[in-house]
Amino acid sequence: MSKHSEKYEIALMGIDLAKHSFQLHGLDRRGQLVEGKKLTRAKVKTYLANLPPCRVAMEACGSAHYWARLFESYGHKVSLIAPQFVKPYVKSNKNDAVDAEAICEAAQRPNMRYVAVKSVEQQDVQALHRMRQLAVEQRTAQVNQIRGLLLEYGIDIPQGRASVRRNLPEILEDAENCLTMRFREALAVLYDELVHLDDRVGWYDKQLQQIAQSDECAQRLLTIPGIGPMIATGLLSAVGDINAFKNGRELAAWLGLVPRQHSTGGKERLLGISKRGDIYLRMLVIHGARSVMRIIHRRSDRISRWAARVEQRRGKNIAAVAMANKMVRMAYALLKNQENYSQPD
């Protein structure tokens, strides 16, 4: 290779992703700009396929994992960076070219944290979780609407989806509750939609249960008290490569289960949990921790004794979050060491 071609060879390519137009920012080994252009969705595939193997940096945003897998198949090394770590490097006004340059700047930092590229199977599991989450939200809204509409007619149904499904058929058949035929027909449609949403949520639950039963890593996580198929599959699909985290504390911090810090002048000040990361996954883990906290007073192992002391000293909510933190750290240890959970004394 000649000195001229070696001088201008692209070593780092920053790509600002979008739906249709992609801004490229290529740097050589000295960090000098040698390529800056905007390509369409079709042309960027051809360009990267013909580009000699280099490092490609992108924000971990929508469709980033698809592009990462595609560019890796071309022989490139892909680095995904969380958007909040790219933002400090955006100079002056924001546009696509400045964003691509900021991605390159962030990718050159020696201590930058990267997002593991997800496989197609992991994205499938995450998609099932998102579909289920939407169906649950729609079902809750449906239940609240039915109860609110009936209350306008003087009919009060106790809270809860089970109460609505149990009482609504009787209300529709009751001829003495002064409901008009038009409203009864509309209410029957809402009831059918509620049953359909229940069936959808049940189907998603069955799919996730089958995935958890067939996955060896998920089976390890299921041995931890408080972790069921929902948490196990959600954690595995979100985490990706467990080696991307140094230890269990870093995984817990990534999920936002550690105190937010605002310290200065050598004086430490810890606030509430940071609530970073995946809100949905953090919610699942905390709910799992609450189920464990309900039975700690019936058990005498070391973790139960510790949780009881935390609950007595700080209250139920803080103790549940502390238990969630410990569950995530145990999950890291099991995945890292490929072991099953053993009950402590």
Side-chain angles (χ1 to χ4, degrees), residues 55-301:
R55 186 179 172 214
V56 178
M58 300 178 292
E59 282 186 334
C61 56
S63 74
H65 294 280
Y66 160 75
W67 290 111
R69 292 192 299 269
L70 181 64
F71 296 156
E72 283 181 343
S73 68
Y74 295 158
H76 302 295
K77 180 181 179 182
V78 179
S79 299
L80 297 181
I81 309 174
Q84 63 266 27
F85 295 150
V86 175
K87 188 175 181 180
Y89 298 96
V90 175
K91 300 174 183 176
S92 186
N93 297 319
K94 182 185 182 304
N95 55 51
D96 292 343
V98 172
D99 288 345
E101 181 183 1
I103 293 172
C104 284
E105 289 289 340
Q108 293 179 90
R109 298 306 95 199
N111 296 324
M112 180 55 61
R113 298 176 182 175
Y114 298 102
V115 178
V117 179
K118 289 183 174 60
S119 64
V120 177
E121 291 74 17
Q122 289 172 325
Q123 285 195 290
D124 287 346
V125 177
Q126 272 203 323
L128 285 174
H129 275 276
R130 296 297 178 264
M131 295 174 191
R132 182 188 183 279
Q133 183 183 12
L134 178 61
V136 170
E137 291 174 356
Q138 291 175 337
R139 184 178 65 179
T140 302
Q142 193 84 313
V143 169
N144 291 337
Q145 184 182 50
I146 291 173
R147 292 184 67 247
L149 290 172
L150 286 174
L151 196 60
E152 294 292 332
Y153 289 84
I155 301 175
D156 182 22
I157 298 180
Q159 289 185 355
R161 174 175 50 89
S163 297
V164 173
R165 288 205 58 175
R166 182 175 59 253
N167 294 320
L168 193 54
E170 299 177 1
I171 294 173
L172 291 173
E173 295 177 1
D174 187 2
E176 299 180 359
N177 53 21
C178 300
L179 297 182
T180 63
M181 185 58 65
R182 176 174 296 173
F183 182 71
R184 290 179 192 273
E185 292 176 353
L187 203 58
V189 173
L190 292 183
Y191 178 74
D192 292 339
E193 290 180 4
L194 178 59
V195 174
H196 173 65
L197 289 171
D198 267 339
D199 294 339
R200 277 182 56 193
V201 173
W203 186 85
Y204 294 135
D205 289 340
K206 186 180 297 183
Q207 293 295 314
L208 294 172
Q209 180 115 22
Q210 292 175 357
I211 294 172
Q213 290 175 351
S214 61
D215 189 274
E216 183 180 353
C217 293
Q219 287 296 308
R220 289 196 181 98
L221 295 182
L222 290 175
T223 60
I224 301 176
I227 292 186
M230 291 288 297
I231 300 177
T233 55
L235 193 60
L236 289 174
S237 62
V239 169
D241 184 11
I242 196 64
N243 295 313
F245 300 93
K246 296 179 181 178
N247 48 46
R249 293 180 181 179
E250 190 172 282
L251 179 58
W254 177 73
L255 275 177
L257 292 170
V258 297
R260 186 162 50 93
Q261 192 174 34
H262 190 76
S263 304
T264 184
K267 184 181 294 185
E268 290 191 359
R269 185 185 179 193
L270 300 179
L271 308 175
I273 59 173
S274 64
K275 296 185 179 180
R276 294 175 179 173
D278 193 329
I279 299 175
Y280 170 75
L281 184 55
R282 184 172 60 253
M283 177 266 296
L284 289 181
V285 176
I286 291 178
H287 281 335
R290 291 185 189 279
S291 67
V292 176
M293 295 300 296
R294 294 178 59 185
I295 61 172
I296 58 171
H297 300 289
R298 295 184 241 157
R299 308 177 68 167
S300 59
D301 58 276

